[in-house]
Amino acid sequence: MDGRQLSGSVALVTGGSSGIGRAIATRFGAEGASIVVADVDAEGGKETVSMVEAESGDAAFVETDVTDETDVESVVDAVVERYGRLDVLVNNAGGSGGDGALHRIDAEEWSDMLRLNLTSHFLCSQAALPHMVASDGGSMIHVSSVNGLLGIGLTGYSAAKSGLFGFSRVVAAQYGRYGVRSNVICPGTIQSASLARKREREWDEALQEQWFDQYPLGRFGRPEEVADAALFLASDRSSYVTGTELVVDGGLTAGLDQTLLERLYDIDEPPIVE
């Protein structure tokens, strides 16, 4: 008996060429799912497919702009044509490039952020929905951010990531009767190649220490840790979970920064067994 959690399932992962999307695709492949990676980055997407196949998984890449309705319809059609069904949709593609403070962005940049980080989820979910219903249900997983929960910065990006909560709940409420579940993952700061470059280019030691101080676990997350959360939401282990948000942030949204907590509550020394 195959004990893998997604054995026989078919998953579409957008933004799967690197980072969180790649980690989700490879994790799902290892758990028995057939994977279609959708991304504008063909080189990275094909590399992800090779990684899945190297572990004896089944995967394919389709170059896709998730903000383009025709592209989205084409990739969903490609999934169904290749595998005959679609069980899991991971709406992971997104980005914050070009965004900033309210007084520094214009209407076009605002619109671009909403289209990439919110409208794309609508397009992919709408295209996938009939196929999930035809297969007696499925799991939609929308990758948001702690920016949707806290006023951290990035005006359009944060608004879009927050909008995913309402969107996902409506999908959950309206289509649960057909076996379709819809949930959101909210990652905190996750280590990636792009973040590493940004840290090297822009962050001094003091800024990095201040960032780490916001996290009770004292570090940034790993893409694989978000992938584990996605696996839970994709699998039957979350069969009664829908319309909710799973926060994967090392405690960032749990309370105050660590230095302030130490000063307020005298917790700079760990408890000891007496």
Side-chain angles (χ1 to χ4, degrees):
M1 182 177 179
D2 190 342
R4 295 178 296 177
Q5 294 185 55
L6 298 180
S7 183
S9 296
V10 176
L12 171 60
V13 181
T14 72
S17 68
S18 62
I20 290 173
R22 171 174 287 176
I24 291 173
T26 54
R27 187 78 168 95
F28 282 16
E31 288 294 334
S34 297
I35 310 296
V36 172
V37 175
D39 205 302
V40 293
D41 177 6
E43 182 178 353
K46 292 174 182 177
E47 186 176 343
T48 299
V49 168
S50 296
M51 294 170 70
V52 174
E53 292 176 337
E55 299 298 323
S56 301
D58 183 9
F61 171 74
V62 179
E63 188 169 348
T64 308
D65 178 356
V66 293
T67 69
D68 183 279
E69 186 172 1
T70 301
D71 266 20
V72 168
E73 291 173 350
S74 294
V75 71
V76 171
D77 288 344
V79 173
V80 177
E81 182 177 349
R82 181 181 176 96
Y83 296 111
R85 59 189 297 127
L86 175 56
D87 303 295
V88 182
L89 169 65
V90 181
N91 279 318
N92 169 71
S96 60
D99 200 357
L102 177 60
H103 67 287
R104 292 196 176 99
I105 64 170
D106 57 30
E108 183 177 359
E109 290 165 333
W110 164 268
S111 180
D112 287 346
M113 285 297 99
L114 265 61
R115 187 159 186 82
L116 177 58
N117 294 291
L118 181 57
T119 303
S120 67
H121 291 239
F122 155 74
L123 292 173
C124 293
S125 300
Q126 187 178 62
L129 181 63
H131 300 287
M132 287 190 172
V133 172
S135 298
D136 297 321
S139 175
M140 293 185 183
I141 302 167
H142 313 280
V143 179
S144 179
S145 168
V146 289
N147 284 68
L149 297 167
L150 297 173
I152 297 173
L154 300 174
T155 309
Y157 177 83
S158 297
K161 292 300 190 181
S162 180
L164 288 173
F165 305 153
F167 172 73
S168 178
R169 290 171 192 155
V170 168
V171 173
Q174 292 185 343
Y175 301 102
R177 69 194 70 188
Y178 303 112
V180 176
R181 297 184 294 112
S182 178
N183 293 287
V184 173
I185 296 176
C186 298
T189 305
I190 303 299
Q191 287 283 15
S192 64
S194 60
L195 178 63
R197 290 191 296 269
K198 184 179 180 66
R199 290 173 62 184
E200 184 176 348
R201 184 176 63 250
E202 300 178 14
W203 295 9
D204 58 27
E205 186 174 346
L207 178 59
Q208 294 197 48
E209 288 302 315
Q210 189 172 0
W211 242 129
F212 284 135
D213 195 47
Q214 308 308 306
Y215 288 88
L217 295 186
R219 62 175 176 85
F220 295 154
R222 299 185 298 272
E224 294 75 19
E225 291 172 311
V226 183
D228 285 339
L231 175 61
F232 168 70
L233 293 176
S235 74
D236 288 339
R237 294 188 177 185
S238 63
S239 58
Y240 203 55
V241 178
T242 192
T244 193
E245 294 82 47
L246 177 53
V247 182
V248 185
D249 72 345
L252 173 68
T253 57
L256 303 173
D257 69 78
Q258 300 306 290
T259 299
L260 185 55
L261 280 173
E262 289 175 2
R263 293 174 179 173
L264 286 175
Y265 300 109
D266 190 27
I267 57 171
D268 56 323
E269 295 182 1
I272 60 173
V273 177
E274 297 181 353

